[in-house]
Amino acid sequence: GFDPPSGWASQFDDSEKKLSGRLAALVIKRLEGNLVGREWLERLKTTEIPFPSILLRKTKTATMAFYLPTTKTLYLNSHFVLLAILEGISSEKERDDLEKRLSDPKELNQYLLAHPKIFEKIVSLHEDSLFHELIHYWQGQNYAFWDMMDRGNTPSAMPIEYEQQAFIEQVRYL
């Protein structure tokens, strides 16, 4: 399993709190426009599970989004968020300068908050990945296995049934 560095669950400043709130609002809006998305939002409501925080974190894994049961948080890989921002910039110097500036997480948060169209594009491009991870979040709140992993009572692993359910729902969502 993947153990996050300490402090990953907490939001480091007001811009990250604001960004997380906007991310959640955009994702909810996209889910509300999809029959399967609405089903899962209703499932969260009926089980009284709050919608999770969504934060940006850079990882070395090649995944766009992931859920960590230890933090009960969805994450977008900031590496891919940065790539999506840079793809529309034709000037190599401008792209390099912006990439250097936005490699600082706080700068990236501020940039996304100041550029809502780019922010919406990123959510639109990766909503299916976020939906998949939302399924894992729901599983983590409803199945005892996740709690046992959190407490260290079982190896950190993902039962194939959980991935299967998340992929089936993701395909239904698409």
Side-chain angles (χ1 to χ4, degrees):
F2 177 76
D3 292 320
S6 62
W8 262 37
S10 62
Q11 299 162 345
F12 58 76
D13 66 8
D14 288 338
S15 73
E16 190 168 47
K17 289 177 188 175
K18 187 183 280 188
L19 188 69
S20 179
R22 285 195 189 167
L23 266 170
L26 277 172
V27 170
I28 289 169
K29 182 179 176 183
R30 304 283 304 190
L31 295 175
E32 287 172 340
N34 179 291
L35 177 64
V36 176
R38 286 191 302 274
E39 276 178 32
W40 280 91
L41 287 173
E42 188 60 32
R43 205 175 276 200
L44 287 174
K45 286 180 195 169
T46 58
T47 53
E48 298 182 8
I49 297 171
F51 199 84
S53 293
I54 305 173
L55 303 175
L56 299 180
R57 292 294 184 268
K58 186 174 183 178
T59 72
K60 294 178 183 177
T61 62
T63 184
M64 176 57 201
F66 53 99
Y67 165 70
L68 290 179
T70 52
T71 64
K72 295 182 177 27
T73 302
L74 303 184
Y75 295 95
L76 279 173
N77 188 337
S78 62
H79 170 72
F80 292 105
V81 171
L82 183 56
L83 290 177
I85 292 168
L86 298 174
E87 79 176 356
I89 300 172
S90 57
S91 162
E92 189 174 336
K93 180 180 179 352
E94 188 180 340
R95 193 172 50 249
D96 290 346
D97 290 347
L98 188 58
E99 181 176 13
K100 185 176 181 178
R101 188 179 113 217
L102 297 182
S103 65
D104 177 317
K106 290 181 183 184
E107 287 290 329
L108 180 59
N109 286 344
Q110 292 295 340
Y111 184 88
L112 289 170
L113 289 169
H115 297 87
K117 292 290 184 200
I118 291 173
F119 194 63
E120 289 172 18
K121 171 188 163 187
I122 289 165
V123 169
S124 175
L125 285 171
H126 304 292
E127 73 181 270
D128 63 316
S129 296
L130 288 164
F131 178 74
H132 178 104
E133 298 309 320
L134 182 65
I135 302 303
H136 289 316
Y137 169 74
W138 182 86
Q139 291 166 337
Q141 305 304 301
N142 284 282
Y143 302 140
F145 184 81
W146 293 87
D147 286 334
M148 291 170 28
M149 279 193 311
D150 284 350
R151 294 184 188 127
N153 295 335
T154 189
S156 183
M158 175 73 68
I160 192 69
E161 293 86 358
Y162 292 176
E163 276 305 324
Q164 183 180 23
Q165 181 184 24
F167 276 114
I168 288 170
E169 294 304 314
Q170 183 178 6
V171 168
R172 285 183 63 227
Y173 181 81
L174 295 172

